[in-house]
Amino acid sequence: MKEKGLLTVVSGFSGAGKGTLMKGLLSKYDNYALSVSMTTRAPRPGEENGREYFFITREQFEKNIADGKLIEHAQYVGNYYGTPKDYVFEQLEAGKDVLLEIEIQGALQIKKKFPEALLLFVTTKDAQTLVNRLKGRGTEEEDVIIKRLKRAAEESEGIEEYEYLIVNDDLDTCIEDMNDIIQKAKLRADRNKEFIEKIRKELKDI
Ligand code: 5GP
């Protein structure tokens, strides 16, 4: 019904499996585009510049902010993260549903700037599963894991700002549920004001 894509924010606890979910959505369906963020954190083993993130210096990041190149940005555990503007707008115009995998401060900035955006929050079924996943991933030192868990506790205070909870238990079910939620959200009357205006006018003109 709506030609422009839907801007979808996906937040969730570090270790809840957002990255894997995003990859699953992108490989299973062809209507999604994933925004690649800029960050000042160091690449993890296996991460590539331009694929997981654009890895840049603090100076470069601050220049991007000053030049208005980001639609949102935030600091997370000592590093900057932000969403480049141009790609998001291009893809939305092309009809793609754009996924932003960002933390809560960024999500709230998006909600303010784009009230039509859909906000999803990914969580594990309980806290222990989160601890096990963060430890099992083996990519972070113990102190970073502790910081990320503290941050998760803070982020849990903001969950009600999101429209849907995605409980990441069985991955395939979760990917399908997420696709269903996004596609149904596009049909909500409050996200289709232009369509409603158009059909009202057409009916009057008959
Ligand atoms: P990580 O270091 O684990 O890749 O990401 C840390 C956190 O930053 C995650 O919660 C991730 O969703 C978030 N993040 C990644 N990119 C962005 C971004 O562009 N903006 C904001 N606000 N958060 C981001």
Side-chain angles (χ1 to χ4, degrees):
M1 187 193 291
K2 198 172 182 195
E3 283 154 28
K4 245 181 99 183
L6 179 63
L7 184 58
T8 302
V9 171
V10 183
S11 301
F13 305 129
S14 178
K18 285 164 293 178
T20 318
L21 272 173
M22 299 294 95
K23 277 192 198 135
L25 266 183
L26 289 167
S27 66
K28 197 158 178 195
Y29 307 97
D30 60 10
N31 53 300
Y32 294 106
L34 178 65
S35 159
V36 177
S37 297
M38 294 181 176
T39 185
T40 58
R41 89 149 160 72
R44 293 186 188 126
E47 285 184 336
E48 256 179 47
N49 189 36
R51 190 180 63 192
E52 280 80 10
Y53 285 104
F54 296 105
F55 296 100
I56 60 175
T57 63
R58 289 190 85 82
E59 291 70 33
Q60 288 169 325
F61 198 101
E62 281 162 4
K63 183 158 188 334
N64 275 289
I65 301 174
D67 292 347
K69 295 258 170 71
L70 303 174
I71 48 174
E72 63 73 36
H73 70 274
Q75 298 226 25
Y76 180 93
V77 192
N79 281 299
Y80 275 127
Y81 293 80
T83 306
K85 193 187 273 175
D86 290 352
Y87 178 83
V88 171
F89 288 164
E90 278 161 26
Q91 295 296 316
L92 287 173
E93 284 302 324
K96 295 276 185 184
D97 298 320
V98 177
L99 304 166
L100 306 184
E101 194 216 304
I102 64 177
E103 52 67 71
I104 190 162
Q105 302 167 71
L108 297 180
Q109 293 172 44
I110 294 290
K111 191 175 171 180
K112 216 169 168 184
K113 280 191 196 160
F114 309 97
E116 289 188 2
L118 171 65
L119 272 65
L120 309 177
F121 194 92
V122 181
T123 172
T124 46
K125 66 177 190 301
D126 55 27
Q128 190 56 46
T129 310
L130 198 64
V131 175
N132 297 345
R133 286 212 194 141
L134 275 174
K135 288 192 173 158
R137 189 154 86 175
T139 51
E140 261 90 19
E141 300 293 334
E142 185 80 18
D143 62 325
V144 176
I145 292 180
I146 291 168
K147 279 188 195 151
R148 284 179 177 244
L149 287 169
K150 278 202 181 127
R151 182 63 182 245
E154 286 165 22
E155 290 197 333
S156 70
E157 296 299 323
I159 298 179
E160 288 95 337
E161 300 285 344
Y162 292 77
E163 211 167 321
Y164 288 94
L165 275 181
I166 308 281
V167 182
N168 188 7
D169 200 1
D170 176 70
L171 183 65
D172 288 330
T173 314
C174 207
I175 292 167
E176 278 173 33
D177 288 352
M178 213 160 156
N179 179 57
D180 279 352
I181 288 171
I182 297 171
Q183 297 316 312
K184 290 202 174 99
K186 287 167 82 172
L187 294 171
R188 278 181 56 133
D190 57 2
R191 288 201 172 91
N192 286 281
K193 294 196 176 93
E194 274 174 35
F195 172 86
I196 296 166
E197 287 305 319
K198 184 174 146 282
I199 202 158
R200 272 193 190 130
K201 187 170 179 311
E202 284 170 3
L203 286 166
K204 275 188 198 136
D205 293 346
I206 277 174

